[in-house]
Amino acid sequence: MKRSTPRVRAAACGSLLAVGLGFGLAGPVQAVGATCATACTAPATDGGVAPQNVVSTAHLTERAAAKAARAALAAAVAAGQRVSVAVLDRSGNPIVVLRGDGAGPHTYESAQRKAYTAASFNAPTSVLVGRLEQTPTLADIPDTLFLAGGLPIRYQGSPIAGIGVAGAPSGLQDEQFAQAGIDALGH
């Protein structure tokens, strides 16, 4: 097995530290950074994984997901609409799902599928609807729903979650409510 040089391992550790600090994770990452010199120059003997074999990603907090979902639901209620709102992580796992008072039974799953579709394709579902005309087999991807009302939630340009709203008379109105949820995260 070919080993990387200490210089390469140190560069990888520095990159990990920089990425972590970029995400505002000063506490835990500084602890990693403080021990990085020894961890990166010595082979992993404790069964752990060497830093160059790890990718760090950003995740939306439960608190932020709840804030976005509540803001989207409030926008819908203010417009007299009965909807469900879902915020899913990039992998499609629900973080928060709210079924508004009087929302139809189909809206709960539809909101989740819109959120997943937007996050996994990193595009609003209203835009993705047009892609079906050229590639109709996109609709065969499990758990996706190509109806307007889903938006990706991005951090530094990359999708970290998706928000989906379902139940308004039009998908474009659902999308406006989803945007209200995202807008709430900018504060």
Side-chain angles (χ1 to χ4, degrees):
M1 168 168 44
K2 183 178 178 185
R3 291 184 170 262
S4 62
T5 65
R7 178 184 223 171
V8 171
R9 285 180 284 197
C13 286
S15 297
L16 181 60
L17 178 60
V19 167
L21 291 175
F23 289 135
L25 303 173
V29 175
Q30 284 180 342
V32 170
T35 60
C36 200
T38 55
C40 289
T41 57
T45 58
D46 64 353
V49 177
Q52 67 268 22
N53 296 322
V54 177
V55 174
S56 295
T57 59
H59 298 275
L60 191 66
T61 66
E62 175 275 328
R63 187 175 189 170
K67 182 178 182 179
R70 284 192 302 274
L73 186 57
V77 169
Q81 299 303 314
R82 298 174 178 182
V83 302
S84 290
V85 180
V87 179
L88 277 62
D89 68 16
R90 179 84 163 91
S91 298
N93 299 307
I95 303 171
V96 174
V97 182
L98 300 176
R99 183 173 174 265
D101 294 338
H106 64 285
T107 63
Y108 192 82
E109 181 179 345
S110 295
Q112 291 183 71
R113 291 175 61 191
K114 288 179 182 185
Y116 173 67
T117 304
S120 61
F121 283 89
N122 191 23
T125 53
S126 60
V127 170
L128 296 171
V129 170
R131 291 187 191 173
L132 284 178
E133 293 174 11
Q134 287 97 19
T135 315
T137 55
L138 283 177
D140 296 335
I141 298 172
D143 300 321
T144 58
L145 185 59
F146 294 88
L147 297 175
L151 294 172
I153 298 173
R154 297 180 180 107
Y155 177 74
Q156 296 182 343
S158 296
I160 60 169
I163 184 168
V165 178
S170 79
L172 294 179
Q173 198 171 17
D174 285 336
E175 192 168 299
Q176 290 173 344
F177 303 144
Q179 185 62 55
I182 292 174
D183 291 345
L185 298 178
H187 303 62

